[in-house]
Amino acid sequence: MHSYLTTDEQTIEDLGIFGRHNSNTIYAIYNRASTRGGAALLEEMFRHPLADAEAINRRSSIIGHFARLGLNFPYNVSLFDMMEKYLLDPGENTRQARQQGVTGEKEIQNGVGAVIEFIHITRSFAESPGITGISEYNDERESILRLLQHPELEPVLRENGKGKLSYAAVTAYDSLFRGKQSAQLARLLQHIYLLDLYISVAAVASARKFIFPKALPKGTCTLNIRELYHPGLTNPVSNDISMHAQRHVIFLTGANMAGKSTFLRALSTALYLAHMGFPVAAQQMEFSVMDCIYTTINLPDNLGIGASHFYAEVLRVKKMATELKAGKSCFILFDELFRGTNVKDAHEATVAVIKGFSGKRNSLFIVSSHIMEAGEDLEQQNGTAFLFLPTRMNGYVPEYTYKLERGITDDRHGMFIIRNEGILDTLKNGKKIQQIH
């Protein structure tokens, strides 16, 4: 049994893993599955990342091998439509199904033919030289072959596909496929859905030039990424990031629009995907396996219980503290911690919480803030590093590099932006004064 990473819906929402109408979700980026079963299995993996270095590296290696081989899914998708409809036909048994007219004679004939073709393609693929050479996939491949080698399937494997099956043969195979061998075929389908998933994610890695991270044992408190970027961006700016036991807290500053939230999403998304054994948007990555990943980027007010934004933040921090108290190794990220209260309280609370985080050396923490003074109070705190995203002023126009720099920024360009947009002139004169460029 695998051990799984602990996360929550807030984190999944923050990272944009799923979305009803957004084709640029993380799930959508990775979903090139040919079958509905493969797509459903992909969603299941996204909801349950792994928390075991060996299992992560094994899955990563399998997908990496498929990527290097450039394999295509060896089945015609229409085969699955026909076969799934046939195998999942309701009725206690095939005779009852036929009597009720659930499946017509033609549908049964097509379904039997689809299953026979599926079995032959599966055996051919499982025995192909490229697949037999992937040692990490051996367990899966051998399970497939064991299912195919069942004595009752021997007549199927002897079929040469030439000529039309007799009525008696169709009837016999129908009884076999939807009777004695129905459970075996269902298990075989699950193996092929997984194969579909591996091949589709491998295709994404190849097309987008994503890399496969290396998982390190739990507790080593390591995260090194070179040229990290967000997979959803068209023209991304990449950054390097390094964290370890002596540098396990990062205090991030930067003006609005400098790129803090995008960087934080890129980092937490990469770490989340890495725990799935999936390729990520970077040039190189190694990480120690965590027990849990929690992000707080877009925290909503909990109107259902009458909670303010600040109280929602307090409850979120309390949840993190409980996990840390239990001794768990966590990656915890807060974007603009305590934005829901006044500057004085936010300053004091941010400093106090980060000092508390700094004592948990088996976990990694990133906190962004507009409150530069909080960073100054933390400068002597062991284990805390300081990064910022700069703003350069070109006259009255702010320009952003989106490249991390060391230190704490004192960029405060909000009023420049407000003046540049003519807001004050609009309020004063009733209309925006056209600027001369």
Side-chain angles (χ1 to χ4, degrees), residues 216-223 243-245 287-289 329 361-362:
L216 305 174
K218 193 178 293 185
T220 51
C221 200
T222 300
L223 176 60
M243 302 180 75
H244 45 77
F287 68 102
S288 55
V289 174
S329 176
R361 293 191 175 273
N362 67 331

Side-chain angles (χ1 to χ4, degrees), residues 27 62 69 122 128 198 233 235 240 274 325 342 347 402 417:
Y27 172 82
I62 291 170
L69 289 171
T122 302
S128 63
Y198 285 156
L233 296 179
N235 297 302
D240 299 347
K325 184 180 179 181
N342 63 76
H347 179 169
Y402 306 116
I417 296 170

Side-chain angles (χ1 to χ4, degrees), residues 127-146:
E127 292 177 345
S128 63
I131 299 303
T132 57
I134 304 174
S135 60
E136 291 85 355
Y137 190 65
N138 270 346
D139 288 348
E140 190 77 20
R141 190 181 70 86
E142 288 172 3
S143 293
I144 291 170
L145 290 174
R146 278 195 299 273

Side-chain angles (χ1 to χ4, degrees), residues 34 71-77 79-80 117 121-122 124-126 131 192 195-196 199:
S34 299
L71 293 173
N72 294 316
F73 192 55
Y75 305 86
N76 188 316
V77 178
L79 190 71
F80 284 85
E117 183 180 350
I121 294 172
T122 302
S124 177
F125 185 81
I131 299 303
I192 303 310
L195 174 66
D196 179 23
I199 290 175

